[in-house]
Amino acid sequence: MNPLTKKSPPSGTLSMELLLGTLTAFAPLSIDMYLPALPRIAEDLHSSASVIQLTLASCFAGLALGQLFTGPLIDRFGRTRPLYVGLAVYVLGSLGCALAPSATALVAMRFFQALGGAVALVAPRAVVRDLWSGADAARTMSRLMLVVGVAPVLAPLLGGWVLQYTSWRAIFVLLAGIGGVALVATVRVLPETAPAHSGPRSVRSQLGALLKDADFVGPALAGGFAYAGMFAYIAGSPFVFITLHGVPEQDFGWFFGANAVGLVAMAQLNRKLLGVIPLHRMLRLALTWCWLTALGVFAVTWSGAGGLWGLAAALFLFVPTIGLVGPNSVAIALERHAAHAGLASALLGALQFAAAATASWAVSALDDGTARPMGGVLAAAATLAWLCAFLRHRSGAAKPEPTMAA
């Protein structure tokens, strides 16, 4: 076991958790802030809605591949130095998006932006695993969701406000500025929690060990498919709400933000429930709720029952379940892999965003001018997540709950 797991959290833990949450929020910031602009981007770049939705798929693909690339680096060189490089790449990629002359160029630059931002997902999870374990790690991840949850609330509102006064390109300039501020804050606030060259000597052997570990793969896939359902909603909702239901661009963020508030509330409820419900059982219950509410979204999108408000209510029941699934699936997956937390965190995130990229591509490919593709892909992803929970339960039924690190 990595000796760092025996450390007590350093002084200044609150400010460090705030920064870790902000770094983790880079993905929702990058994804959500430009969502109200998708119809306008399609018009400005003379492209179709389905092509512009590929900018989301390319972002998810960049986040997936970027995490696989940076995971071994943060095990070998520590948590902070790869963060500095990744955030610098993120800033350059954001400026490239702002200057993109065509839809194809925007798709490419979104991929480059996401490659840089990926390290902001890997490093915080590794730092949490360096300092906490078991249910404590899940509670810490839930606290980070307080910060992460603010991004989906404010980002689309901020994006809609920017659109009222200037071009969609200003949204990416703003993201570049946020990346620059985060880089400065990381240099000043984040301590190094793992020494250089602390990671495994053979990445291939450690990767093989991870992929053979049901205690890692089961929760990782379950969490990944659950996130894929949420990202199917993210990919489809701007056109469903703005184009199909006529919601003004500046008001779209209120619908989006309500779901984000619910997600944060569930993440905080998760901290309390972990005091009375074992971690593995909590994940299975959360995934069951996720599946049932996804079936509700599917029914509404295919029947049209309730119109705009029926759809909004169904999504409000579904999206907050991710606040229960996310922290618990991450904590369980990383529990037994402290010695190579960077690689495990990277593979975990890559699986999640690969599933998200596939879901967003599927929403685009199945586009038929209705909300049905969004509802169908969302329900399929949640069903796969639930099946992973069932298989994890069967394979792990005889295993005890993991113990906390000494």
Side-chain angles (χ1 to χ4, degrees):
M1 178 175 292
N2 188 339
L4 285 169
T5 59
K6 298 182 180 181
K7 282 186 177 181
S8 299
S11 58
T13 298
L14 181 60
S15 61
M16 187 177 69
E17 287 184 357
L18 180 62
L19 176 60
L20 292 176
T22 301
L23 291 171
T24 306
F26 261 60
L29 274 175
S30 303
I31 294 164
D32 301 340
M33 191 176 293
Y34 90 131
L35 290 180
L38 288 181
R40 189 180 296 189
I41 294 172
E43 180 181 354
D44 187 38
L45 297 181
H46 308 291
S47 185
S48 66
S50 60
V51 172
I52 295 303
Q53 282 176 330
L54 290 178
T55 62
L56 278 169
S58 70
C59 179
F60 298 151
L63 288 170
L65 292 176
Q67 288 181 85
L68 283 178
F69 179 74
T70 58
L73 293 180
I74 70 168
D75 277 338
R76 181 171 177 80
F77 298 107
R79 314 311 188 199
T80 55
R81 285 187 289 174
L83 256 177
Y84 304 156
V85 176
L87 289 174
V89 171
Y90 176 87
V91 171
L92 294 176
S94 298
L95 294 176
C97 290
L99 298 173
S102 66
T104 302
L106 183 59
V107 170
M109 293 311 302
R110 285 285 282 169
F111 180 80
F112 182 71
Q113 178 197 39
L115 281 178
V119 69
L121 295 174
V122 178
R125 288 193 298 258
V127 170
V128 169
R129 186 58 192 88
D130 288 340
L131 300 173
W132 292 276
S133 181
D136 283 344
R139 292 188 186 98
T140 302
M141 292 299 300
S142 294
R143 283 195 293 271
L144 298 189
M145 292 291 289
L146 280 171
V147 181
V148 175
V150 172
V153 175
L154 296 182
L157 290 173
L158 184 57
W161 179 81
V162 169
L163 287 175
Q164 284 187 284
Y165 298 99
T166 185
S167 165
W168 58 267
R169 298 179 186 275
I171 293 174
F172 290 103
V173 174
L174 181 58
L175 286 173
I178 293 172
V181 171
L183 175 57
V184 173
T186 299
V187 173
R188 294 177 61 88
V189 173
L190 187 64
E192 183 55 70
T193 60
H197 307 289
S198 66
R201 293 182 180 274
S202 172
V203 172
R204 178 180 296 181
S205 64
Q206 294 295 340
L207 184 61
L210 283 170
L211 293 176
K212 293 177 183 177
D213 181 9
D215 290 317
F216 175 84
V217 174
L221 287 178
F225 283 125
Y227 273 103
M230 185 178 70
F231 283 117
Y233 146 72
I234 289 173
S237 60
F239 292 100
V240 170
F241 280 89
I242 297 172
T243 303
L244 296 183
H245 290 286
V247 174
E249 293 171 341
Q250 63 271 20
D251 293 336
F252 168 73
W254 294 109
F255 289 92
F256 204 84
N259 291 324
V261 169
L263 189 153
V264 172
M266 286 299 101
Q268 303 320 299
L269 176 62
N270 184 62
R271 293 173 54 202
K272 303 296 184 181
L273 292 176
L274 285 171
V276 294
I277 302 176
L279 182 56
H280 287 76
R281 185 180 301 169
M282 189 66 226
L283 178 60
R284 293 193 296 270
L285 291 173
L287 286 166
T288 300
W289 183 12
C290 177
W291 174 58
L292 292 175
T293 55
L295 294 182
V297 175
F298 176 79
V300 169
T301 56
W302 280 74
S303 68
L308 170 63
W309 294 106
L311 176 61
L315 288 170
F316 184 74
L317 292 176
F318 167 75
V319 175
T321 65
I322 307 303
L324 297 173
V325 173
N328 298 322
S329 63
V330 169
I332 294 172
L334 297 184
E335 173 63 23
R336 305 179 194 278
H337 301 286
H340 45 275
L343 180 61
S345 174
L347 183 57
L348 178 69
L351 287 171
Q352 291 177 348
F353 278 96
T358 302
S360 112
W361 169 83
V363 171
S364 172
L366 297 172
D367 180 38
D368 63 355
T370 72
R372 290 178 177 179
M374 179 185 75
V377 174
L378 184 154
T383 300
L384 290 171
W386 180 81
L387 288 173
C388 287
F390 175 76
L391 292 173
R392 171 61 184 83
H393 173 66
R394 296 284 294 178
S395 65
K399 295 181 180 181
E401 291 288 316
T403 57
M404 292 178 57

